Amino acid sequence: MRHAFGLLLGVLLTPALAYGAAWGYVQAGQSFDGTGGEITDSTRMYGALALMASVGLVTGVIVVARWASPLVSLVPALTLLGVSACFLVDPGLVMDLPGRVPPAGDLDFGLRMLTGSGIYALMGFALLVPTWAPRRWGSDREDEQEAPPAHRSAVRR
């Protein structure tokens, strides 16, 4: 049951991570003047940074969570790495994908930039590494059975 929930959560988190990072990137870029080195719209910049920090926090929780099925991180990892690999093989095909998936507009630019810059590949590898940990594939019940009796009684208190 834990892995079924992990698969569902991974499927839901994949677009949330991709779209959240892309939208935050676009909003931050529109609120900063690189030539003058100043923030032109501080409200938009703070919102963009808060969103990107939230994406980073969710990614970090997925990476270190002991309770999480490895599928929670494996599904987004394989998706992001797959898109990045397809970009290397046929950039035109991958750059056309954001225009086919709603919503259109500035978000398309963010999706294209993060794919082309390798940020999605970086996120994919960061999410892939925790799936190799054997503790992620076991259940909590196995941990209780392996614990010495004194530890089990301390846990129940």
Side-chain angles (χ1 to χ4, degrees), residues 49-153:
L49 292 179
L51 178 64
M52 288 190 285
S54 299
V55 168
L57 179 65
V58 168
T59 302
V61 167
I62 291 170
V63 166
V64 300
R66 184 169 173 81
W67 56 265
S69 164
L71 296 175
V72 175
S73 62
L74 184 62
V75 171
L78 292 179
T79 303
L80 294 170
L81 290 173
V83 167
S84 298
C86 287
F87 173 75
L88 293 175
V89 173
D90 188 2
L93 175 68
V94 175
M95 290 297 129
D96 190 39
L97 285 177
R100 296 183 193 178
V101 180
D106 288 340
L107 188 57
D108 291 351
F109 176 74
L111 291 168
R112 287 183 181 109
M113 288 302 294
L114 293 182
T115 301
S117 65
I119 298 298
Y120 285 150
L122 181 136
M123 289 172 64
F125 278 114
L127 289 166
L128 182 65
V129 171
T131 61
W132 293 331
R135 67 176 174 83
R136 297 285 297 264
W137 291 97
S139 69
D140 292 335
R141 291 184 199 137
E142 291 173 5
D143 292 340
E144 278 185 19
Q145 291 172 358
E146 292 174 6
H151 178 68
R152 269 189 263 156
S153 63

Side-chain angles (χ1 to χ4, degrees), residues 29-55:
Q30 291 176 350
S31 61
F32 178 74
D33 177 20
T35 58
E38 63 181 288
I39 296 173
T40 57
D41 186 352
S42 61
T43 304
R44 180 184 278 185
M45 178 61 87
Y46 294 147
L49 292 179
L51 178 64
M52 288 190 285
S54 299
V55 168

